[in-house]
């Protein structure tokens, strides 16, 4: 397996001291007059989170959070709140486009959302999901799709669903310089094969899940999402992998946790899975705001002189 350290340019056992995650040097490019040095009294420019930092956090036992983001305001807020990784998930199918499943969303529908999130953030690493049907054919198709997300969307990494069957795709992307997060356990793009939203990895299938996680690490994935996996299995995977695990319904022992933001913030007022914790009630707040606006317009209360021009 390519260890995080060797991918970092420091092969294990090398005499060269390993650079720490904070050691990134100033980019040697754009060093002409178009990129002047910041004035001495200016705050240092904010730097993007990089994958070696996520690996260093695992080594230090520091947990981190990831949220989905699909639009400018949410992305800006999450970035300012210090969420280090934002996922432009194919869950935009449900949460933006109103589809019943993640299957229908296309690359052309997801790309503008990736662009919006990248443009609206300064610090977060932005991850683009590869939609169903855009990478399953083989490594060449995966490379073509992922290249679009990196080049046209400005993404910093991509995510794909599946285990060892997708190791060739992962190797092709990583070989081309595209970081890959794998997604195991319940994989929504396969919900028709799985037979609905079901916990994965119980009983004997736990061993298969662990083998898949190791295969994706071996193929070069920089992290693995574990969705709806028993907590004890997720704990084992986390202990066996050198790369971070990102849990969603996978218990407390993963290195990181991810939630869909509309679930976490209560904008989605419908039923949510058991693993979702609501940290706000944005759905109710928005409902009440819309009701108040409607009634003030009907009653002639809005706009008042304060909100009008003379
Ligand atoms: O698309 C998505 O939102 C995801 C997360 C649930 C991990 O894949």
């Amino acid at each position: 397996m390519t260890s995080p350290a060797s991918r970092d340019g420091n092969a294990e056992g090398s005499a060269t001291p390993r650079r720490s995650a904070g050691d990134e040097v100033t980019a040697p490019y754009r060093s002409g007059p178009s990129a002047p040095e910041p004035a001495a009294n200016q705050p240092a420019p904010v730097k993007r989170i990089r994958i070696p930092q996520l690996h260093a956090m695992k080594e230090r036992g520091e947990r981190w959070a990831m949220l989905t983001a699909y639009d400018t305001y949410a992305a800006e807020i999450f970035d300012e709140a210090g969420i280090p990784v934002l996922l432009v998930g194919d869950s935009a199918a449900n949460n933006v486009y109103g589809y019943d499943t993640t299957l229908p969303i296309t690359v052309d529908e997801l790309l503008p959302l990736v662009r919006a999130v990248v443009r609206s953030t300064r610090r977060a690493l932005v991850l683009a999901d590869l939609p169903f049907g855009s990478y399953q054919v083989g490594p060449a198709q995966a490379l073509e799709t992922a290249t679009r997300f990196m080049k046209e969307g400005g993404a910093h990494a991509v995510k794909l669903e599946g285990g060892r069957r997708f190791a060739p795709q992962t190797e092709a992307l990583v070989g081309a310089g595209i970081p890959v997060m794998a997604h195991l356990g319940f994989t929504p793009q396969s919900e028709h094969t799985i037979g609905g939203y079901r916990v994965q990895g119980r009983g004997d299938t736990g061993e298969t899940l662990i083998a898949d996680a190791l295969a994706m690490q071996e193929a070069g994935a920089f992290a693995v999402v574990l969705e709806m996996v028993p907590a004890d299995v997720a704990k084992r995977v986390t202990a066996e992998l050198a790369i971070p695990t990102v849990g969603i319904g996978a218990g407390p022992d993963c290195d990181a946790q991810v939630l869909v933001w509309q679930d976490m913030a209560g904008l989605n007022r419908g039923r949510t899975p058991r693993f979702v914790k609501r940290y706000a009630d944005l759905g109710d707040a928005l409902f009440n705001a819309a009701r108040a606006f409607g009634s003030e317009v009907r009653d002639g209360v809005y706009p008042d002189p304060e909100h009008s021009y003379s």
Side-chain angles (χ1 to χ4, degrees):
M1 160 240 163
T2 314
S3 76
S6 57
R7 252 177 279 129
D8 198 3
N10 292 279
E12 276 169 42
S14 149
T16 316
R18 186 177 172 193
R19 270 205 213 143
S20 82
D23 281 340
E24 190 188 353
V25 297
T26 307
Y29 322 108
R30 254 187 100 235
S31 54
S34 64
E37 283 296 312
N41 58 353
Q42 291 298 301
V46 176
K47 284 196 172 156
R48 287 272 176 197
I49 298 284
R50 302 282 203 166
I51 287 163
Q53 287 167 268
L54 303 177
H55 289 157
M57 285 165 88
K58 173 154 183 148
E59 279 171 23
R60 292 196 299 265
E62 269 174 47
R63 296 189 177 160
W64 48 274
M66 171 165 128
L67 280 173
T68 62
Y70 319 98
D71 70 276
T72 185
Y73 289 125
E76 199 176 276
I77 289 168
F78 301 155
D79 195 45
E80 212 181 304
I83 302 294
V85 183
L86 296 180
L87 166 67
V88 187
D90 62 351
S91 53
N94 314 77
N95 299 313
V96 174
Y97 289 104
Y99 295 121
D100 285 340
T101 72
T102 59
L103 275 71
I105 198 165
T106 63
V107 171
D108 288 327
E109 284 173 318
L110 204 53
L111 254 174
L113 312 189
V114 173
R115 241 180 261 131
V117 170
V118 171
R119 271 202 295 261
S120 310
T121 52
R122 297 195 306 154
R123 181 173 169 272
L125 184 148
V126 179
L127 191 59
D129 237 347
L130 301 188
F132 177 65
S134 74
Y135 62 95
Q136 283 85 350
V137 173
Q141 188 205 23
L143 189 51
E144 210 169 289
T145 306
T147 301
R148 286 196 67 194
F149 279 111
M150 304 293 281
K151 235 175 145 74
E152 298 173 42
H156 310 122
V158 301
K159 176 168 84 56
L160 55 79
E161 295 184 9
R164 68 198 88 166
R165 164 157 148 43
F166 293 95
Q169 275 88 333
T170 303
E171 277 167 13
L173 300 193
V174 175
I178 302 174
V180 176
M181 184 181 281
H183 184 154
L184 301 174
F186 175 71
T187 45
Q189 293 178 10
S190 307
E191 70 162 83
H192 297 300
T193 313
I194 293 170
Y197 275 65
R198 290 169 190 277
V199 174
Q200 300 295 300
R202 283 194 173 128
D204 292 346
T205 59
E207 296 305 320
T208 311
L209 197 141
I210 293 166
D212 274 330
L214 287 166
M216 293 309 266
Q217 171 174 271
E218 183 69 30
F222 74 90
V224 179
V225 168
L226 299 175
E227 181 162 356
M228 289 174 69
V229 169
D232 60 329
V233 176
K235 184 177 180 176
R236 266 192 68 194
V237 176
T238 304
E240 293 207 18
L241 293 190
I243 58 175
T245 56
V246 185
I248 173 161
D253 294 305
C254 294
D255 300 299
Q257 297 288 333
V258 57
L259 284 176
V260 167
W261 87 257
Q262 290 92 341
D263 295 344
M264 173 289 293
L267 185 61
N268 170 10
R269 295 187 302 156
R271 276 190 59 202
T272 52
R274 168 197 170 126
F275 59 78
V276 170
K277 181 168 176 183
R278 268 196 189 156
Y279 290 86
D281 286 312
L282 294 199
D284 287 345
L286 205 51
F287 176 82
N288 291 333
R291 288 266 287 219
F293 174 62
S295 97
E296 288 202 357
V297 169
R298 277 192 304 278
D299 297 344
V301 173
Y302 176 86
D304 52 13
E306 194 194 337
H307 296 95
S308 304
Y309 298 104
S310 54

